[in-house]
Amino acid sequence: RSNGVAMRSGKLSPGFNTLPEWEKPKNGFEGVLGDQAPLGLWDPAGFTKDGNVENFKRRREVELKHGRVSMFATIGYIVPEYFKFDGECSPSMGLKFADIPNGLKALSVVPKE
């Protein structure tokens, strides 16, 4: 008599119990971007828990918009390190673009009006 546990393939395991086969439950969002076998739809924030497809579509659109705004913000932070416009930002104050520091220090130099 063997001490192994019978596996689905008919072979005996080396003594530990394997998890049974299972099918992922249907959630209504099969086939969308992020749905990958064998894990299913990856939704760590739980945006699809309500099952509303319209809310899901809106959240996807908003996610894309925020991603694009973030990319522009990153470019806006990097480009001034390598390129400065010619001319003046504020002719009345004599402030040139070349005199404006990079990053958050620019907020204290650029005039508010």
Side-chain angles (χ1 to χ4, degrees), residues 21-85:
E21 297 279 331
W22 64 281
E23 287 190 28
K24 142 181 106 84
K26 301 279 185 192
N27 60 10
F29 297 99
E30 287 79 15
V32 298
L33 186 65
D35 182 25
Q36 298 178 351
L39 302 176
L41 181 65
W42 187 69
D43 183 25
F47 290 139
T48 59
K49 283 186 180 177
D50 60 0
N52 189 329
V53 176
E54 290 304 316
N55 285 347
F56 177 74
K57 286 180 182 179
R58 183 185 175 285
R59 289 174 183 141
R60 277 281 165 104
E61 291 171 3
V62 170
E63 179 183 12
L64 286 173
K65 180 181 78 171
H66 289 164
R68 290 173 182 160
V69 169
S70 299
M71 287 186 268
F72 277 122
T74 303
I75 292 297
Y77 202 81
I78 294 172
V79 168
E81 293 285 336
Y82 303 102
F83 177 78
K84 296 281 187 181
F85 287 107

Side-chain angles (χ1 to χ4, degrees), residues 80-101:
E81 293 285 336
Y82 303 102
F83 177 78
K84 296 281 187 181
F85 287 107
D86 293 331
E88 295 184 352
C89 176
S90 177
S92 64
M93 294 181 63
L95 181 63
K96 296 182 179 182
F97 286 112
D99 298 335
I100 299 174

Side-chain angles (χ1 to χ4, degrees), residues 100-112:
I100 299 174
N102 296 330
L104 295 175
K105 289 182 183 178
L107 295 175
S108 63
V109 175
V110 175
K112 296 175 183 152

